[in-house]
Amino acid sequence: MTETAARHLHADGEPEGPMRILPREGEPQPDLEAVGLKADGLRDIYRLMALTRRADLEATALQRQGELAVYPPLIGQEAAQVGSAYALEESDWIFPSYRELGAAVVRGIDLVEYLHFYRATWHGGSYDANAHRFGYVSVPVASQILHAVGYAMGAKLDGISLAALAYFGDGATSEGDFHEACNFAAVFRAPVVFFCQNNQWAISVPVSAQTVAPIWRKAQAYGFPGVVVDGNDVLAVYRETKEAARRARDEGVPTLIEAVTYRIGPHSTADDASRYRPADEVERWRTTDPLERYRAWLAESGHVDAGFFEAVDGEADQLAARLRAGVIASGPRPVAELFAWVFADLPEHLKRQREEALRFAGEGEEAGRG
């Protein structure tokens, strides 16, 4: 563990600021060996961030054009999501909230299947959660944090070595689910990483109205480490998440990571953030854009050339085109699925309801038995 990271984990007072690695002007280059990334990894992280940015913009446009019912933009949070998800082992599990498209990109999830939730054609998304070790989209604030702890506890009882990472926002730390999850994880030594994307706003409520103490310090009450990291510094996010996941798997010690970032867009496409958020605040945070910041460092440090960026931009355009075509082509799910996967033997009253629903939808009796 680096000296800086140690200070953030164990100091009684306030740290000097969120832990960061990407250098500011005049600062020395980081020790990449300590970060744990080689050249291929550095390039892959940028590629995933760029793909996330492009897919996020395309999804926002699709909603504005009536192809999605609603969508929560993540622009500005690419480093927090990609850096943390990339730091996990393949066997680790991710439990997302509703804004984790970037983590889904890292896990290789088909984004058309992911966006079925936002198209209102499938609850949670139609991808295979087990295949990707990526839970379904969760809208109730903080509920997925308990799911992560429960899964981690179950894996521990089964003798399976893994870490479970739960994503949530600053607003979720005001929910009882968050505190219950922290307490359970601490008492039962569950291998969990609590990853808070503090994007400064819980819809229209600023973080200053959510909590008095810094979010990362809440971990002290439960007896496990708390870390505050620059959420727009993808290398810092990667480094701290990798260490937290290792600690969870090897020692059964949870960690709370507060990634300080900013929600550049609205809370969702149903929200008008200009009604409550100062325009100068948004512009100030735009100057720390995580994608541009990382791109500039890669170019200046000689890790990539212009051809690399051109290739990534081309791949991002292709992804956006496939995403658009796939979403537009996806139709409603069969009505019969409303009655599937709950009962092994459907009760008589639900059988009657199913047949009535199928007749009304014009799908026929046979469709309900398939």
Side-chain angles (χ1 to χ4, degrees):
M1 184 185 301
T2 64
E3 182 178 339
T4 302
R7 184 176 68 250
H8 285 265
L9 282 168
H10 303 297
D12 292 330
E14 290 297 314
E16 296 175 2
M19 201 281 284
R20 60 184 178 83
I21 290 177
L22 287 173
R24 293 171 178 161
E25 186 175 354
E27 292 182 341
Q29 291 297 314
D31 179 0
L32 294 179
E33 186 174 342
V35 175
L37 283 168
K38 297 186 183 300
D40 287 348
L42 294 172
R43 290 191 289 267
D44 199 27
I45 283 178
Y46 175 82
R47 170 182 165 273
L48 292 167
M49 288 177 65
L51 294 180
T52 296
R53 172 69 62 90
R54 187 70 177 83
D56 180 63
L57 292 173
E58 193 66 31
T60 301
L62 284 165
Q63 192 284 326
R64 297 305 191 197
Q65 294 159 8
E67 298 295 343
L68 298 178
V70 70
Y71 180 72
L74 65 86
I75 185 168
Q77 297 180 224
E78 295 88 353
Q81 293 189 18
V82 171
S84 54
Y86 197 81
L88 299 178
E89 298 291 335
E90 186 178 350
S91 58
D92 295 334
W93 263 79
I94 289 173
F95 290 82
S97 63
Y98 45 79
R99 203 188 301 275
E100 273 70 59
L101 180 140
V105 169
V106 175
R107 279 295 164 101
I109 292 173
D110 184 322
L111 294 184
V112 174
E113 294 185 350
Y114 176 85
L115 290 172
H116 266 295
F117 173 79
Y118 304 97
R119 192 165 168 79
T121 46
W122 189 275
H123 187 69
S126 62
Y127 53 88
D128 186 334
N130 286 310
H132 296 283
R133 295 156 304 284
F134 190 94
Y136 292 116
V137 174
S138 181
V139 171
V141 177
S143 61
Q144 75 283 359
I145 311 176
L146 281 169
H147 301 161
V149 173
Y151 193 93
M153 290 171 63
K156 183 177 180 179
L157 290 172
D158 289 340
I160 300 172
S161 177
L162 58 76
L165 184 147
Y167 285 108
F168 53 95
D170 45 289
T173 64
S174 294
E175 295 284 343
D177 297 40
F178 163 75
H179 296 281
E180 292 161 10
C182 287
N183 196 50
F184 265 91
V187 170
F188 294 99
R189 296 183 65 84
V192 183
V193 178
F194 298 101
F195 194 90
C196 176
Q197 295 176 85
N198 178 2
N199 64 18
Q200 311 304 313
W201 291 91
I203 309 184
S204 60
V205 179
V207 69
S208 60
Q210 288 284 345
T211 182
V212 174
I215 290 171
W216 68 274
R217 292 193 67 183
K218 298 181 189 298
Q220 295 177 0
Y222 299 103
F224 56 76
V227 179
V228 59
V229 62
D230 182 343
N232 286 7
D233 181 337
V234 70
L235 297 186
V237 171
Y238 171 86
R239 170 69 180 80
E240 291 306 305
T241 307
K242 190 174 184 66
E243 173 63 16
R246 181 210 60 75
R247 188 162 48 242
R249 284 189 300 269
D250 297 350
E251 305 171 25
V253 175
T255 301
L256 170 60
I257 298 176
E258 178 187 358
V260 180
T261 182
Y262 193 78
R263 192 192 78 209
I264 294 294
H267 174 75
S268 77
T269 48
D271 171 45
D272 179 6
S274 67
R275 298 181 62 182
Y276 56 81
R277 201 168 58 178
D280 61 340
E281 177 183 279
V282 179
E283 291 309 308
R284 186 167 65 252
W285 277 93
R286 284 187 188 277
T287 64
T288 65
D289 182 303
L291 184 63
E292 293 302 319
R293 183 177 172 186
Y294 188 51
R295 178 177 178 133
W297 176 78
L298 284 174
E300 292 168 4
S301 59
H303 289 289
V304 299
D305 57 22
F308 167 77
F309 293 125
E310 291 174 5
V312 170
D313 290 344
E315 184 182 357
D317 288 341
Q318 293 174 11
L319 171 64
R322 291 196 304 271
L323 177 62
R324 170 170 289 274
V327 167
I328 292 174
S330 59
R333 304 295 303 180
V335 173
E337 288 179 343
L338 289 170
F339 300 87
W341 306 302
V342 177
F343 294 94
D345 297 306
L346 204 63
E348 287 300 321
H349 72 287
L350 289 182
K351 286 182 180 178
R352 293 192 297 270
Q353 291 181 26
R354 181 186 63 184
E355 300 310 321
E356 181 180 356
L358 292 175
R359 284 195 300 272
F360 182 79
E363 293 186 6
E365 185 176 345
E366 293 302 317
R369 293 174 179 166

